[in-house]
Amino acid sequence: MLFMVEMTVRIPHSADPQAVDKLKADEKAFSQQLQREGKWRHLWRVVGQYANVSIFDVKDNDELHTLLTSLPLYPYMEMKVTPLAQHGSAIAQN
């Protein structure tokens, strides 16, 4: 199943900078692992924001939920999840 996930990160200014750097490094490693596995198909930065739009290809809602809540930055994220379906006029198939 394909899902579009819009993520906005809001880390408090009072957070320890070293802890934040560690979270960001862990997030990058985990996201790249999921990309190599084919579960995180697209990752796009939203210009001018600490945000992204991503496309996930997972088995079901539960797998997506488990994956998203496992992200190291999850406690600081606001997310909007949209299930996707193939469009009848699309030339390319997912």
Side-chain angles (χ1 to χ4, degrees), residues 6-8 43-53:
E6 299 170 70
M7 301 179 211
T8 301
L43 174 56
W44 297 96
R45 177 182 313 280
V46 177
V47 175
Q49 299 178 39
Y50 192 176
N52 73 72
V53 175

Side-chain angles (χ1 to χ4, degrees), residues 22-24 26-28 30 68-76:
K22 169 88 167 81
L23 282 173
K24 288 179 180 180
D26 292 347
E27 182 86 12
K28 182 176 183 176
F30 187 49
L68 294 176
T69 57
S70 298
L71 293 170
L73 287 171
Y74 176 77
Y76 305 105

